[in-house]
Amino acid sequence: MSTQRVAVVTGAARGIGAATAARLAKDGYAVAVLDLDEGACADAVKAITDAGGKAIAVGVDVSDAEQVEAGVKRIADELGPPVVLVNNAGIIRDNLIFKMTQDDWDTVMAVHLRGAFLMTKACQAYMTQEKFGRIVNLSSSSAQGNRGQSNYSAAKAGMQGFTKTLAIELGKFGVTANAVAPGFIETDMTRATAERVGVPFEDFLKGAAAQIPVQRTGKPDDIAAMVAFLCSEDAGFVSGQVIYVAGGPLD
Ligand code: NAP
């Protein structure tokens, strides 16, 4: 087993998770690329290993307690104690409240909130033992409210309260917890939103960029860079914060 620190990134087969996994590998972590389908992680793992980094693919549904327990144990056995956790796995089931089903609500809560809870509970056991840990939870600018996303915005606001409580409970073990709340980032998730509202993705991007102070939409690497800082040794005195990475002010 290597002496590299081990990072777990959930929902890392693509999008923000894949960029974050690649960035953490570049920063020297051995990375568990965790996603629903282990096979779907192959490209993200190859990108890391081709660049000289270390990574394994792990297939886990983060909303399933047994799968989380088995997956985290496998990571610890194969790579070492997971001391960095990025709770990034996410889904959207958008609809206006009068059309939203209970299943739309429950599924979003299960992936974002139960998923982050289960993954954190499993990984903090290693972090507290190692007296070092970094937890970064993906929130969203939608936590402040977004039409068609009552389920998602509730979950992303929930991630913020979860993060602050983790910071309070785990600080004495050398563990920090922070939330990164992206604005508009170019991924399959925002592509799906463009489809839902019936606008070509390029036009959707232009429209979004015009509303953002820095006049562009975000890229997965913009988020990966902030996550990487929060996971670093240098960030040891930053905990319980929600950092909006949105090209302009939000709070
Ligand atoms: P994405 O491209 O849709 O990727 C999300 C990944 O999570 C997918 O690989 C997906 O797997 C995986 N996933 C879904 N459910 C899972 C589960 N139960 N267990 C394990 N993995 C699961 O999304 P993204 O845009 O990169 O977003 C990443 C995170 O940032 C999410 O938490 C999202 O809410 C947040 N965020 C994104 C934006 C944005 O503008 N894109 C803005 C704010 C916040 P499958 O492909 O198999 O479904």
Side-chain angles (χ1 to χ4, degrees):
M1 201 177 290
S2 82
T3 53
Q4 273 176 302
R5 275 182 175 156
V6 175
V8 185
V9 184
T10 72
R14 57 192 165 86
I16 293 169
T20 300
R23 174 61 196 259
L24 291 177
K26 198 171 146 224
D27 289 354
Y29 294 94
V31 180
V33 174
L34 184 152
D35 211 293
L36 266 180
D37 173 10
E38 189 164 322
C41 300
D43 288 351
V45 168
K46 187 169 184 301
I48 291 171
T49 51
D50 283 355
K54 182 165 184 179
I56 60 168
V58 183
V60 164
D61 177 348
V62 296
S63 67
D64 182 303
E66 280 177 22
Q67 288 188 36
V68 166
E69 204 176 311
V72 171
K73 184 175 182 313
R74 194 190 130 201
I75 292 164
D77 290 345
E78 289 185 25
L79 291 180
V83 292
V84 169
L85 170 64
V86 183
N87 282 310
N88 167 82
I91 55 162
I92 47 174
R93 292 286 183 276
D94 294 354
N95 229 327
L96 295 175
I97 186 74
F98 77 99
K99 286 192 274 188
M100 187 172 286
T101 65
Q102 186 175 316
D103 189 57
D104 291 335
W105 179 270
D106 290 345
T107 308
V108 165
M109 293 304 155
V111 175
H112 295 269
L113 287 178
R114 192 202 303 152
F117 160 68
L118 292 172
M119 285 298 305
T120 303
K121 193 171 176 193
C123 291
Q124 61 81 38
Y126 297 95
M127 296 178 191
T128 51
Q129 210 164 40
E130 297 296 315
K131 300 275 184 285
F132 175 87
R134 297 281 185 262
I135 299 166
V136 179
N137 296 318
L138 268 290
S139 178
S140 168
S141 54
S142 296
Q144 301 191 0
N146 195 25
R147 186 178 166 81
Q149 292 199 314
S150 56
N151 51 358
Y152 182 81
S153 70
K156 290 310 201 185
M159 291 294 261
Q160 299 187 5
F162 178 60
T163 301
K164 290 176 192 190
T165 300
L166 293 176
I168 291 166
E169 291 187 11
L170 299 176
K172 66 179 171 196
F173 301 104
V175 179
T176 66
N178 291 286
V180 171
F184 190 112
I185 311 298
E186 295 171 34
T187 69
D188 290 346
M189 187 175 274
T190 39
R191 194 175 285 276
T193 306
E195 263 172 45
R196 175 174 64 86
V197 296
V199 178
F201 194 47
E202 287 310 312
D203 296 346
F204 198 58
L205 292 180
K206 273 190 208 142
Q211 305 295 319
I212 297 171
V214 301
Q215 295 286 287
R216 69 170 178 88
T217 46
K219 308 271 188 198
D221 283 347
D222 291 315
I223 304 306
M226 177 51 70
V227 175
F229 169 69
L230 293 170
C231 292
S232 69
E233 285 280 354
D234 282 351
F237 205 54
V238 182
S239 197
Q241 298 304 301
V242 178
I243 299 168
Y244 284 91
V245 181
L250 288 166
D251 55 25

